[in-house]
Amino acid sequence: MIKIIPCATAFLAAVALLAGCGGETGPTVSDRSVVFVGTGGAYQAAQREAFVKPFAASSGIKVVEDQPVTYAKLKTMVDSGRVTWDVVEADPFYAIANCGRYIEKIDLTVVDVSKIDKELVSECGVPDMKSAFLLVYNTEKFGQNPPTSWRDFFDTKKFPGKRGMMNDAKEGGLEISLVADGVPTDKLYPIDYTRAFRKLDTIRNDLKFFTTGAEQQQAMETGQVDMVLAWPGRASQAAHNGAKIAPVWNQPMFFWDVLVVPKGTAHKTEAMKFIAHAITPAAQATLTQHIAYAPIHPDAKLPADEVTRQYLPLGQDKGTGFLRNMSWWAQNLDTATQKWTAWISR
């Protein structure tokens, strides 16, 4: 019988804890197994329904789950030659920066990317969803005069109230501050840190920072913030839970996640098969049914639920949207993070 074993236990913990993950040597419990590592929360719950359960049922390969994704832990595994993760949810820029060193190249004889947008695929990473950083606002507060742009996000005189964003350099704050300051979306990179932080300073006293997606969702549901630089998946869930919010699809910054295979895994073949399954139309359609992230396969059926569709990139941006430059982030993540941390700590 196929077993699905969700497990959030750290792989290098005590033996007693490891036994709870399915075996004396960690979560990788057999040669016919895959350890899938996600980010946790609602997103991994959706992946469980779309990827994990169907793949295990159809392939006969046991799937073990772990969380959260920690790049430092992945590096330690590879450097030590003790790799216990097989498929990992990752940022595209991580896959680009570490391709061939910490991440295996994708086996294109197994993983069919022929119908996937080539801009989203890299040598070591295959996209498993597409979304966008969105401006989401409180309709009860701004219903008669809603914001229409990132410029409005920074205009606390015309639109007074709290703003929310993730406390992380890579979560869109740098780019949207430059867009709000008048930088054309095709001229955002290399990021002008001085200009970006100067713009962010104008709303510093009105900002609420989140460290998790759950915090972001709760803030929307409880009205702690009036505008949010939001993850659509969390915003959609907040809306389903009754939050009085709506998205603005002017100049969204499109982003995507990728599935990667750690270098040196003993289950490379099984891992590639898992990724191949995850990007099929059926798997992608199921994912979107459970969370408001768009499928990356053009043949995937979209959900009929109108709330979910409001938060999917279905052309509502009328051509104003832009892709995040993942190659730039692959080269500049550490510097951007250091500068962001210094700004937050001031």
Side-chain angles (χ1 to χ4, degrees):
M1 181 177 69
I2 302 300
K3 295 182 179 179
I4 309 299
I5 310 175
C7 178
T9 307
F11 293 162
L12 300 181
V15 171
L17 291 177
L18 288 175
C21 289
E24 294 181 354
T25 59
T28 306
V29 294
S30 76
D31 289 338
R32 292 282 292 169
S33 67
V34 169
V35 177
F36 169 66
V37 189
T39 58
Y43 186 19
Q44 189 160 345
Q47 291 172 313
R48 184 174 304 125
E49 299 302 319
F51 306 162
V52 174
K53 290 181 179 180
F55 176 74
S58 64
S59 68
I61 297 172
K62 183 180 294 184
V63 182
V64 179
E65 290 184 59
D66 194 29
Q67 59 168 286
V69 176
T70 306
Y71 295 145
K73 186 172 181 177
L74 191 156
K75 179 179 183 298
T76 298
M77 286 183 181
V78 176
D79 286 344
S80 66
R82 300 177 63 184
V83 179
T84 55
W85 289 353
D86 301 311
V87 180
V88 177
E89 183 82 8
D91 294 298
F93 44 81
Y94 181 82
I96 294 170
N98 294 281
C99 188
R101 184 179 181 188
Y102 291 107
I103 304 297
E104 297 277 4
K105 292 183 179 180
I106 298 297
D107 185 349
L108 297 180
T109 66
V110 177
V111 183
D112 181 8
V113 298
S114 60
K115 289 193 174 183
I116 310 303
D117 186 344
K118 290 180 173 53
E119 289 188 283
L120 311 187
V121 180
S122 67
E123 202 171 15
C124 286
V126 175
D128 61 334
M129 67 82 158
K130 182 179 178 181
S131 191
F133 290 105
L134 286 180
L135 168 52
V136 173
Y137 66 92
N138 184 318
T139 56
E140 289 190 323
K141 183 161 186 176
F142 300 124
Q144 300 302 313
N145 180 35
T148 61
S149 68
W150 292 116
R151 188 181 298 274
D152 292 340
F153 186 87
F154 285 82
D155 189 346
T156 54
K157 290 184 179 179
K158 185 177 179 181
F159 300 95
K162 280 288 184 182
R163 273 61 169 160
M165 65 173 60
M166 299 300 292
N167 185 8
D168 194 317
K170 64 182 176 61
E171 295 299 338
L174 293 172
E175 285 97 337
I176 68 106
S177 65
L178 292 173
V179 172
D181 204 40
V183 178
T185 56
D186 61 348
K187 303 293 183 184
L188 289 174
Y189 305 95
I191 284 177
D192 184 335
Y193 296 111
T194 299
R195 186 170 179 178
F197 288 122
R198 185 169 61 235
K199 188 65 175 178
L200 285 164
D201 278 336
T202 65
I203 59 170
R204 177 70 176 262
N205 294 334
D206 298 292
L207 274 173
K208 178 178 177 61
F209 293 104
F210 315 122
T211 57
T212 67
E215 289 179 2
Q216 181 189 133
Q217 181 176 331
Q218 183 182 40
M220 286 185 275
E221 290 182 13
T222 59
Q224 297 175 40
V225 291
D226 301 298
M227 293 191 202
V228 189
L229 168 56
W231 295 345
R234 286 295 183 175
S236 173
Q237 291 212 336
H240 276 104
N241 290 342
K244 305 301 183 183
I245 57 175
V248 175
W249 278 97
N250 183 24
Q251 295 183 316
M253 181 168 69
F254 298 117
F255 70 90
W256 58 101
D257 284 356
V258 296
L259 296 176
V260 302
V261 178
K263 188 78 172 178
T265 173
H267 304 97
K268 181 178 176 180
T269 298
E270 291 80 7
M272 295 298 172
K273 289 179 179 179
F274 181 94
I275 294 175
H277 162 80
I279 64 172
T280 59
Q284 286 289 299
T286 302
L287 181 72
T288 304
Q289 289 168 10
H290 285 84
I291 195 166
Y293 291 138
I296 50 81
H297 198 292
D299 297 335
K301 185 178 179 180
L302 293 171
D305 172 38
E306 283 303 318
V307 173
T308 299
R309 291 175 70 92
Q310 284 184 47
Y311 293 90
L312 297 177
L314 303 176
Q316 310 95 314
D317 64 296
K318 298 180 180 179
T320 65
F322 59 99
L323 288 177
R324 160 167 271 189
N325 188 326
M326 298 301 185
S327 295
W328 185 91
W329 277 99
Q331 298 175 15
N332 294 278
L333 176 61
D334 289 346
T335 299
T337 299
Q338 291 167 7
K339 289 182 178 295
W340 180 273
T341 302
W343 177 71
I344 287 290
S345 302
R346 284 206 321 242

